[in-house]
Amino acid sequence: MTAKKPFGLPSVKLILIAAVAGVLAGAAAVYVKEEGYGNGNAQTAALSSDCEGAKDHSAALTPFTKGQVAAMVAAQKPVSLQNVSFNGPEGKPLSVQDFAGKTVLLNLWATWCIPCREEMPALNALQKEMGSDKFEVVAVNIDTGDDEKPKAFRTDYGIDALGYYRDGTMGAFNALKKNGLAFGLPVTLLVGPKGCLLSAMNGPAAWDSEDAKGLIKAAIGS
Protein backbone atom coordinates (compact mmCIF):
# COMPACT_ATOMS: atom_id res chain seq x y z
CA MET A 1 0.00 0.00 0.00
CA THR A 2 1.32 3.45 -0.90
CA ALA A 3 1.87 5.57 2.18
CA LYS A 4 -0.31 8.64 2.40
CA LYS A 5 1.06 12.08 3.03
CA PRO A 6 0.27 13.60 6.42
CA PHE A 7 -3.23 15.01 6.27
CA GLY A 8 -4.81 18.10 7.74
CA LEU A 9 -2.03 20.63 8.27
CA PRO A 10 0.76 21.08 5.71
CA SER A 11 4.24 20.54 7.08
CA VAL A 12 5.06 24.25 6.80
CA LYS A 13 2.14 25.03 9.07
CA LEU A 14 3.28 22.38 11.54
CA ILE A 15 6.59 24.21 11.76
CA LEU A 16 4.73 27.47 12.40
CA ILE A 17 2.65 25.78 15.10
CA ALA A 18 5.82 24.49 16.74
CA ALA A 19 7.33 27.97 16.63
CA VAL A 20 4.20 29.50 18.16
CA ALA A 21 4.19 26.74 20.78
CA GLY A 22 7.66 27.90 21.77
CA VAL A 23 6.09 31.26 22.68
CA LEU A 24 2.85 29.94 24.14
CA ALA A 25 4.47 26.98 25.95
CA GLY A 26 2.41 24.30 24.32
CA ALA A 27 -0.90 26.08 23.75
CA ALA A 28 -1.22 24.22 20.43
CA ALA A 29 -2.03 20.96 22.18
CA VAL A 30 -5.50 19.45 21.89
CA TYR A 31 -7.10 19.54 25.33
CA VAL A 32 -8.03 16.15 26.76
CA LYS A 33 -10.56 15.68 29.53
CA GLU A 34 -9.30 13.38 32.25
CA GLU A 35 -11.02 10.02 32.08
CA GLY A 36 -12.32 8.32 35.18
CA TYR A 37 -10.96 4.93 34.24
CA GLY A 38 -7.69 3.28 33.37
CA ASN A 39 -4.71 2.43 35.51
CA GLY A 40 -3.59 5.98 36.19
CA ASN A 41 -3.88 5.48 39.94
CA ALA A 42 -1.38 2.63 39.76
CA GLN A 43 1.07 4.70 37.75
CA THR A 44 3.29 7.42 39.09
CA ALA A 45 5.30 10.31 37.80
CA ALA A 46 6.72 11.09 41.20
CA LEU A 47 9.30 13.26 42.88
CA SER A 48 12.35 11.12 43.45
CA SER A 49 15.69 11.64 45.17
CA ASP A 50 17.10 9.20 42.62
CA CYS A 51 16.58 11.88 39.97
CA GLU A 52 18.42 14.71 41.74
CA GLY A 53 21.32 14.29 39.33
CA ALA A 54 19.05 14.80 36.33
CA LYS A 55 18.67 18.47 37.23
CA ASP A 56 22.16 19.29 35.95
CA HIS A 57 21.57 17.20 32.82
CA SER A 58 18.32 19.04 32.19
CA ALA A 59 19.92 22.46 32.71
CA ALA A 60 22.69 21.58 30.25
CA LEU A 61 20.07 21.02 27.55
CA THR A 62 18.53 24.48 27.87
CA PRO A 63 20.67 26.02 25.08
CA PHE A 64 19.34 23.34 22.73
CA THR A 65 15.64 24.00 23.41
CA LYS A 66 15.28 26.53 20.62
CA GLY A 67 13.65 26.98 17.24
CA GLN A 68 11.33 24.09 16.47
CA VAL A 69 11.72 22.65 20.00
CA ALA A 70 11.63 25.94 21.90
CA ALA A 71 8.52 24.78 23.78
CA MET A 72 10.48 22.05 25.57
CA VAL A 73 10.58 23.13 29.21
CA ALA A 74 13.35 21.89 31.48
CA ALA A 75 12.30 19.81 34.48
CA GLN A 76 12.18 22.01 37.57
CA LYS A 77 11.99 19.12 40.05
CA PRO A 78 13.55 15.63 40.22
CA VAL A 79 10.74 13.57 38.69
CA SER A 80 10.92 9.84 38.00
CA LEU A 81 8.81 8.45 35.15
CA GLN A 82 9.98 4.85 35.63
CA ASN A 83 6.52 3.55 36.58
CA VAL A 84 4.59 5.13 33.71
CA SER A 85 3.31 2.07 31.89
CA PHE A 86 1.77 0.93 28.59
CA ASN A 87 1.77 -2.14 26.35
CA GLY A 88 4.52 -3.14 23.95
CA PRO A 89 4.33 -4.40 20.35
CA GLU A 90 3.12 -7.86 21.38
CA GLY A 91 0.71 -6.56 24.00
CA LYS A 92 3.25 -7.20 26.76
CA PRO A 93 3.08 -4.76 29.71
CA LEU A 94 6.01 -2.36 29.73
CA SER A 95 7.03 0.73 31.65
CA VAL A 96 9.58 3.47 31.16
CA GLN A 97 11.84 1.45 33.45
CA ASP A 98 12.16 -1.19 30.70
CA PHE A 99 14.09 1.39 28.64
CA ALA A 100 16.76 1.92 31.32
CA GLY A 101 20.07 2.90 29.77
CA LYS A 102 18.42 4.71 26.87
CA THR A 103 17.43 8.32 26.45
CA VAL A 104 13.74 8.20 25.49
CA LEU A 105 11.51 10.69 23.70
CA LEU A 106 8.15 9.64 25.16
CA ASN A 107 5.23 10.87 23.06
CA LEU A 108 1.52 10.33 23.77
CA TRP A 109 -0.83 10.61 20.80
CA ALA A 110 -4.24 9.61 19.44
CA THR A 111 -5.65 9.13 15.94
CA TRP A 112 -8.37 11.74 16.53
CA CYS A 113 -5.78 14.41 17.42
CA ILE A 114 -4.86 16.26 14.20
CA PRO A 115 -1.61 17.80 15.52
CA CYS A 116 -0.60 14.32 16.73
CA ARG A 117 -1.23 12.81 13.32
CA GLU A 118 0.65 15.61 11.60
CA GLU A 119 3.81 15.22 13.69
CA MET A 120 3.90 11.40 13.63
CA PRO A 121 5.83 11.11 10.32
CA ALA A 122 8.45 13.48 11.77
CA LEU A 123 8.78 11.31 14.88
CA ASN A 124 9.10 8.29 12.60
CA ALA A 125 11.87 10.04 10.64
CA LEU A 126 13.68 10.96 13.86
CA GLN A 127 13.62 7.35 15.04
CA LYS A 128 14.76 6.13 11.63
CA GLU A 129 17.75 8.48 11.63
CA MET A 130 18.73 8.52 15.30
CA GLY A 131 17.28 5.39 16.91
CA SER A 132 20.01 3.30 18.54
CA ASP A 133 20.95 1.46 21.71
CA LYS A 134 21.25 4.92 23.26
CA PHE A 135 18.03 6.53 22.04
CA GLU A 136 14.46 5.61 21.12
CA VAL A 137 11.28 7.47 20.24
CA VAL A 138 8.53 5.76 22.24
CA ALA A 139 5.22 6.95 20.76
CA VAL A 140 2.33 5.63 22.85
CA ASN A 141 -1.12 5.64 21.27
CA ILE A 142 -3.93 6.31 23.78
CA ASP A 143 -7.00 5.66 21.61
CA THR A 144 -9.65 3.86 23.63
CA GLY A 145 -11.13 0.70 22.13
CA ASP A 146 -9.34 -1.82 19.96
CA ASP A 147 -6.21 -1.57 17.80
CA GLU A 148 -7.95 -1.08 14.46
CA LYS A 149 -7.62 2.70 14.09
CA PRO A 150 -4.04 3.15 15.32
CA LYS A 151 -2.77 0.21 13.29
CA ALA A 152 -4.58 1.44 10.16
CA PHE A 153 -3.08 4.90 10.66
CA ARG A 154 0.43 3.48 10.95
CA THR A 155 -0.03 1.48 7.76
CA ASP A 156 -1.64 4.29 5.76
CA TYR A 157 0.97 6.87 6.71
CA GLY A 158 4.06 4.68 6.49
CA ILE A 159 4.95 4.71 10.19
CA ASP A 160 7.49 1.93 9.92
CA ALA A 161 10.33 2.84 12.31
CA LEU A 162 8.41 3.38 15.54
CA GLY A 163 7.57 0.51 17.85
CA TYR A 164 3.86 -0.07 18.40
CA TYR A 165 3.15 1.08 21.93
CA ARG A 166 -0.42 1.33 23.26
CA ASP A 167 -2.36 2.35 26.32
CA GLY A 168 -6.09 2.00 25.63
CA THR A 169 -6.85 2.81 29.29
CA MET A 170 -5.36 6.32 29.11
CA GLY A 171 -3.62 5.50 32.39
CA ALA A 172 -0.29 6.91 31.22
CA PHE A 173 -1.88 10.21 30.19
CA ASN A 174 -3.85 10.48 33.42
CA ALA A 175 -0.70 9.82 35.48
CA LEU A 176 1.14 12.62 33.68
CA LYS A 177 -1.83 14.97 33.94
CA LYS A 178 -2.16 14.45 37.69
CA ASN A 179 1.46 15.50 38.05
CA GLY A 180 1.06 18.63 35.92
CA LEU A 181 3.02 17.27 32.97
CA ALA A 182 0.17 16.95 30.46
CA PHE A 183 -3.00 18.83 29.73
CA GLY A 184 -3.59 17.76 26.14
CA LEU A 185 -2.24 15.95 23.10
CA PRO A 186 0.34 15.57 21.85
CA VAL A 187 2.56 15.62 24.91
CA THR A 188 6.24 14.77 24.60
CA LEU A 189 8.73 14.16 27.38
CA LEU A 190 12.48 13.73 27.13
CA VAL A 191 13.53 11.07 29.63
CA GLY A 192 17.07 10.28 30.72
CA PRO A 193 18.68 6.81 30.92
CA LYS A 194 17.60 6.40 34.55
CA GLY A 195 13.96 7.18 33.81
CA CYS A 196 14.20 10.76 35.06
CA LEU A 197 12.37 13.62 33.36
CA LEU A 198 14.66 16.06 31.54
CA SER A 199 12.15 18.27 29.73
CA ALA A 200 8.57 18.26 28.49
CA MET A 201 6.35 19.85 25.86
CA ASN A 202 2.60 20.08 25.33
CA GLY A 203 1.88 20.60 21.64
CA PRO A 204 3.40 19.45 18.33
CA ALA A 205 6.89 19.99 16.99
CA ALA A 206 8.88 19.36 13.82
CA TRP A 207 10.78 16.42 15.30
CA ASP A 208 12.76 15.78 12.13
CA SER A 209 14.19 19.33 12.20
CA GLU A 210 17.82 20.16 12.85
CA ASP A 211 16.79 21.80 16.12
CA ALA A 212 15.18 18.58 17.33
CA LYS A 213 18.13 16.46 16.28
CA GLY A 214 20.51 18.85 18.00
CA LEU A 215 18.54 18.49 21.23
CA ILE A 216 18.63 14.71 21.05
CA LYS A 217 22.34 14.64 20.27
CA ALA A 218 22.98 16.83 23.31
CA ALA A 219 20.77 14.64 25.48
CA ILE A 220 22.61 11.44 24.60
CA GLY A 221 26.03 13.14 24.67
CA SER A 222 27.02 12.60 21.05
Side-chain angles (χ1 to χ4, degrees):
M1 181 181 295
T2 302
K4 297 180 182 178
K5 294 180 180 179
F7 87 106
L9 303 174
S11 57
V12 172
K13 193 165 185 180
L14 173 62
I15 292 172
L16 291 175
I17 286 175
V20 170
V23 177
L24 300 182
V30 175
Y31 177 76
V32 178
K33 181 179 180 181
E34 184 172 339
E35 299 290 346
Y37 57 88
N39 58 345
N41 290 332
Q43 299 197 47
T44 58
L47 296 179
S48 172
S49 59
D50 293 338
C51 291
E52 286 288 351
K55 193 172 182 179
D56 291 339
H57 190 178
S58 179
L61 297 180
T62 300
F64 299 92
T65 54
K66 60 183 180 179
Q68 308 306 329
V69 290
M72 288 293 279
V73 178
Q76 302 300 307
K77 300 176 181 178
V79 176
S80 174
L81 300 178
Q82 286 187 359
N83 293 330
V84 173
S85 59
F86 41 86
N87 289 332
E90 305 300 325
K92 177 184 177 182
L94 294 175
S95 70
V96 170
Q97 189 170 8
D98 290 298
F99 296 86
K102 282 187 178 182
T103 296
V104 167
L105 192 69
L106 178 65
N107 174 275
L108 270 58
W109 69 284
T111 60
W112 45 262
C113 164
I114 291 178
C116 302
R117 294 175 68 121
E118 185 64 26
E119 76 170 357
M120 195 57 55
L123 286 166
N124 190 70
L126 179 63
Q127 172 63 24
K128 191 171 289 188
E129 179 174 343
M130 299 195 66
S132 68
D133 58 352
K134 294 183 179 180
F135 172 72
E136 183 173 346
V137 177
V138 177
V140 181
N141 174 266
I142 65 167
D143 280 46
T144 57
D146 60 29
D147 290 338
E148 182 178 355
K149 286 184 179 180
K151 284 189 172 181
F153 171 81
R154 287 170 56 90
T155 299
D156 290 346
Y157 289 85
I159 308 304
D160 56 358
L162 299 176
Y164 183 61
Y165 300 109
R166 274 274 282 148
D167 177 22
T169 73
M170 288 186 64
F173 178 84
N174 288 339
L176 296 177
K177 185 175 181 180
K178 288 175 181 177
N179 286 274
L181 296 174
F183 64 82
L185 294 178
V187 57
T188 307
L189 305 98
L190 187 59
V191 185
K194 294 183 179 180
C196 301
L197 177 67
L198 299 177
S199 58
M201 173 194 295
N202 280 268
W207 290 108
D208 56 349
S209 66
E210 292 305 313
D211 291 324
K213 287 183 276 190
L215 174 61
I216 300 306
K217 287 177 182 177
I220 62 179
S222 65

